[in-house]
Amino acid sequence: MNLIDLRSDTVTRPTAAMREAMLRAEVGDDVYGEDPTVNALQQRLADELGFEAGLFAPSGTQANLLALLSHCQRGDEYIVGMDAHTYKYEGGGAAVFGSIQPQPVLHAGDGTLPLDVVEQVIKPRDPHFARTRLLCLEDTWHGRVLPRDYLRDARALCDRQGLLLHLDGARLFNAAVADGVPAREVTRHFHSVSVCLSKGLGAPVGSVLLGTRALIDEATRWRKVAGGGMRQAGMLAAACIHALDHHVARLADDHRRAQALAQGLRGLPGLSVAAQHTNMVFVDVPQERLAALKQAMDAASIRLSIGYTPRIRLVTHLDVDDEGVRRTIDALRQFAA
Ligand SMILES: *Cc1c(COP(=O)(O)O)cnc(C)c1O
């Protein structure tokens, strides 16, 4: 039986055509800024998303870290969601490497950070306090698209309060495709954006940070410090360019399949399915049934993200087809019954 891996959209493997593109890539030494394919990728995303410059990084975690290190100084602070990747899932990197303090805020149900709360936690300019510098948002958030009016209002608040606004756009293109708008409609509200090519877009490795020329120059220095300066990285960038050419519009297929999955699971006894817009389905399962669920899925050759909390995650991507969705619904129906 074929394995169906719904743990994450990071598990995609490069397609044959993507591997061809990687083989053909023109390369140079990117630490010298001489890799033409890396330069083309950076310029292309900068142009498309409305920024002066871009910087290729080996991971989304590093792209976000470079943004924080470049926007903030030692003793500065960034406001961030309590469950945001840039707070919870990046090893505390901003504090570890930058002496930058996070100010976490509880997410509302739709993934937004309530702006009245954000405004309340901004510190006065006084020697007692860290200097609040930056607000960091995440879109998509748990398979949901942040409302674009909210992004506009968040930017207005930042302008009023003298804060910078960064987007963890690991799945930016999922948000744009789900909303039926060019990605620039999302990114235009931000001072910097990080984008992952290695998630649903299907590249093996790679993220890009976008911002002003000055920000990207600073981030380039930090990337070297962090050990992220790669040499003939054009082979990786070629995969990312191929992904942008061929795998953006098809994200709609992943969203449709996630919708089918959610619909197929709704109403099953003991399962509660959260609302979603893009390629992630979250399902609450009674805590005491998690071990049995894991066993049943192993037997059916299906992998889901099952952790220590009752909330499990199913993610559709390039390597999951309609048949995979059907098999998953059937297996979970059997389990629920
Ligand atoms: C995956 C992800 C990242 C970056 O993760 P890497 O594995 O370091 O590339 C950042 N933010 C969000 C929301 C993500 O899902």
Side-chain angles (χ1 to χ4, degrees), residues 141-275:
W141 187 79
H142 291 192
R144 301 181 63 109
V145 181
L146 298 192
R148 272 176 293 126
D149 286 356
Y150 171 80
L151 302 182
R152 184 203 56 208
D153 295 346
R155 174 57 186 261
L157 168 67
C158 288
D159 287 347
R160 218 165 49 238
Q161 294 279 356
L163 301 188
L164 296 162
L165 186 58
H166 173 71
L167 176 66
D168 176 354
R171 296 185 180 83
L172 165 70
F173 286 100
N174 292 86
V177 166
D179 253 9
V181 296
R184 198 179 177 134
E185 279 304 304
V186 178
T187 56
R188 68 192 182 86
H189 300 290
F190 293 87
H191 295 100
S192 60
V193 172
S194 65
V195 182
C196 284
L197 288 307
S198 58
K199 300 268 164 92
L201 295 181
V205 170
S207 284
V208 176
L209 174 67
L210 291 315
T212 61
R213 182 76 255 168
L215 181 88
I216 294 302
D217 285 347
E218 186 66 12
T220 303
R221 204 186 91 75
W222 282 119
R223 186 184 66 174
K224 193 76 187 78
V225 173
M230 298 183 285
R231 301 294 177 172
Q232 285 71 36
M235 297 189 78
L236 298 173
C240 296
I241 292 172
H242 180 87
L244 291 171
D245 284 339
H246 300 285
H247 295 170
V248 172
R250 66 150 306 285
L251 291 172
D253 297 338
D254 297 343
H255 300 169
R256 174 178 57 72
R257 290 189 177 114
Q259 201 63 44
L261 203 47
Q263 248 148 32
L265 302 180
R266 244 176 223 124
L268 291 185
L271 304 185
S272 159
V273 182

Side-chain angles (χ1 to χ4, degrees), residues 18-299:
M18 182 179 277
R19 288 170 198 245
E20 281 294 319
M22 294 172 77
L23 268 180
R24 285 195 310 269
E26 267 189 71
V27 296
D29 189 326
D30 183 48
V31 171
Y32 292 127
E34 291 172 2
D35 188 300
T37 311
V38 170
N39 290 339
L41 170 66
Q42 293 173 163
Q43 196 56 51
R44 174 191 175 147
L45 270 177
D47 291 344
E48 181 176 344
L49 302 181
F51 292 95
E52 284 174 10
L55 184 67
F56 190 48
S59 69
T61 299
Q62 188 174 101
N64 284 327
L65 176 66
L66 301 179
L68 288 164
L69 292 173
S70 303
H71 283 305
C72 301
Q73 303 291 319
R74 177 170 183 235
D76 286 354
E77 162 182 275
Y78 68 112
I79 300 171
V80 62
M82 195 92 99
D83 287 318
H85 206 279
T86 42
Y87 172 59
K88 195 170 172 183
Y89 297 97
E90 297 182 0
V96 173
F97 298 113
S99 300
I100 302 160
Q101 157 175 298
Q103 167 62 66
V105 164
L106 269 176
H107 296 264
D110 63 358
T112 59
L113 306 180
L115 294 179
D116 55 335
V117 178
V118 169
E119 193 139 28
Q120 278 164 26
V121 299
I122 296 171
K123 313 279 184 293
R125 295 285 148 156
D126 175 298
H128 287 88
F129 304 116
R131 278 176 302 237
T132 312
R133 281 290 289 168
L134 181 78
L135 172 62
C136 190
L137 301 176
E138 182 175 319
D139 194 10
T140 60
W141 187 79
H142 291 192
R144 301 181 63 109
V145 181
L146 298 192
R148 272 176 293 126
D149 286 356
Y150 171 80
L151 302 182
R152 184 203 56 208
D153 295 346
R155 174 57 186 261
L157 168 67
C158 288
D159 287 347
R160 218 165 49 238
Q161 294 279 356
L163 301 188
L164 296 162
L165 186 58
H166 173 71
L167 176 66
D168 176 354
R171 296 185 180 83
L172 165 70
F173 286 100
N174 292 86
V177 166
D179 253 9
V181 296
R184 198 179 177 134
E185 279 304 304
V186 178
T187 56
R188 68 192 182 86
H189 300 290
F190 293 87
H191 295 100
S192 60
V193 172
S194 65
V195 182
C196 284
L197 288 307
S198 58
K199 300 268 164 92
L201 295 181
V205 170
S207 284
V208 176
L209 174 67
L210 291 315
T212 61
R213 182 76 255 168
L215 181 88
I216 294 302
D217 285 347
E218 186 66 12
T220 303
R221 204 186 91 75
W222 282 119
R223 186 184 66 174
K224 193 76 187 78
V225 173
M230 298 183 285
R231 301 294 177 172
Q232 285 71 36
M235 297 189 78
L236 298 173
C240 296
I241 292 172
H242 180 87
L244 291 171
D245 284 339
H246 300 285
H247 295 170
V248 172
R250 66 150 306 285
L251 291 172
D253 297 338
D254 297 343
H255 300 169
R256 174 178 57 72
R257 290 189 177 114
Q259 201 63 44
L261 203 47
Q263 248 148 32
L265 302 180
R266 244 176 223 124
L268 291 185
L271 304 185
S272 159
V273 182
Q276 107 298 337
H277 305 127
T278 61
N279 67 330
M280 292 189 176
V281 180
F282 289 86
V283 182
D284 288 328
V285 180
Q287 183 89 35
E288 66 277 9
R289 298 211 66 202
L290 286 176
L293 174 65
K294 174 112 185 44
Q295 225 171 23
M297 293 302 108
D298 283 349

Side-chain angles (χ1 to χ4, degrees), residues 296-307:
M297 293 302 108
D298 283 349
S301 284
I302 297 169
R303 286 200 188 147
L304 313 180
S305 208
I306 305 175

